[in-house]
Amino acid sequence: MALKATIFKADISITDMDRNYYNDHNLTIARHPSENDERMMLRMIAFIVNAHEQLQFTKGLSDDEVPDLWQKSFSDVIELWIELGQPSEQRIKKGCNQSQQMMIYSYADRSFEAWWKKEQSKLQTKKNLSVFTLPEALSGTLAKAVARSMQIQVTIQDGQIWLTIESAEASECIEVEIEQHL
């Protein structure tokens, strides 16, 4: 019997003064059985940083044809394609060709550094690609804040991101640093 996804609920209130974006999102997040808390929270950070009314989670790990998140226009044009981790060259090519903008989010661990060293020169030729990392230590901090039901207050100003994650178990204030490589 196949394992089922675990469902998480997140009520996110975003105050993004850098983009003049102020909105609340009530998200239902299905965590694939092979996905850990660190990866799920990376998806949530990618959502928060790029928040938009049309941005949505996809089937991600369970469907090779779609990214982890995407934003489509009302005419079904893929405006934003977001991948996590260290996608293959083929996957990056697909995302860049099928969307107006592609972004990659990863934790800055040893595997990212090796991937980046190997792929950097090829990736720089992609005009609609951006690559971002979060500090490796942040993955554990974010994972500890995971609960089945979370209320998240987000403030983004001058490139600084602050999260307050509240659940029945605890309340955690976290500063998120994102480095852009490309």
Side-chain angles (χ1 to χ4, degrees):
M1 185 167 119
L3 296 173
K4 294 186 179 192
T6 305
I7 304 301
F8 293 83
K9 301 278 186 177
D11 295 327
I12 303 175
S13 180
I14 300 173
T15 302
D16 186 340
M17 291 177 257
D18 291 350
R19 295 188 306 141
N20 290 321
Y21 182 84
Y22 310 93
N23 208 344
D24 295 331
H25 295 271
N26 299 316
L27 303 177
T28 300
I29 303 153
R31 188 181 70 197
H32 191 273
S34 67
E35 183 177 40
N36 60 24
D37 289 340
E38 289 87 353
R39 188 177 192 286
M40 183 185 75
M41 291 303 283
L42 184 60
R43 276 198 295 148
M44 190 139 13
I45 295 296
F47 180 91
I48 287 168
V49 171
N50 297 285
H52 188 277
E53 289 79 17
Q54 271 81 37
L55 183 63
Q56 57 187 282
F57 295 109
T58 67
K59 292 183 180 181
L61 287 173
S62 56
D63 186 345
D64 290 340
E65 297 301 311
V66 296
D68 292 293
L69 294 100
W70 64 11
Q71 179 181 316
K72 287 183 163 186
S73 70
F74 291 116
S75 58
D76 215 32
V77 172
I78 302 171
E79 297 172 331
L80 179 59
W81 178 295
I82 298 176
E83 290 284 341
L84 303 180
Q86 296 98 42
S88 67
E89 184 180 349
Q90 196 173 18
R91 188 97 176 134
I92 294 168
K93 183 178 179 182
K94 179 178 183 168
C96 287
N97 289 341
Q98 290 187 12
S99 67
Q100 295 172 352
Q101 177 69 35
M102 180 179 183
M103 295 181 176
I104 299 171
Y105 287 86
S106 185
Y107 289 111
D109 56 16
R110 278 188 237 143
S111 66
F112 173 81
E113 295 303 326
W115 174 83
W116 181 245
K117 195 176 279 187
K118 179 182 168 211
E119 302 292 334
Q120 182 178 6
S121 61
K122 290 180 245 174
L123 298 180
Q124 288 177 336
T125 64
K126 308 287 184 194
K127 300 298 179 207
N128 62 337
L129 176 66
S130 299
V131 179
F132 303 93
T133 57
L134 283 71
E136 182 179 12
L138 188 60
S139 68
T141 304
L142 290 171
K144 287 178 194 169
V146 170
R148 295 289 293 271
S149 179
M150 299 175 277
Q151 286 72 45
I152 303 173
Q153 301 290 322
V154 180
T155 303
I156 302 173
Q157 182 177 13
D158 298 330
Q160 297 290 327
I161 304 165
W162 294 275
L163 307 177
T164 302
I165 303 174
E166 296 179 17
S167 65
E169 295 82 31
S171 179
E172 182 96 30
C173 292
I174 302 168
E175 183 176 353
V176 177
E177 297 175 26
I178 298 178
E179 182 180 347
Q180 184 168 0
H181 296 269
L182 188 63

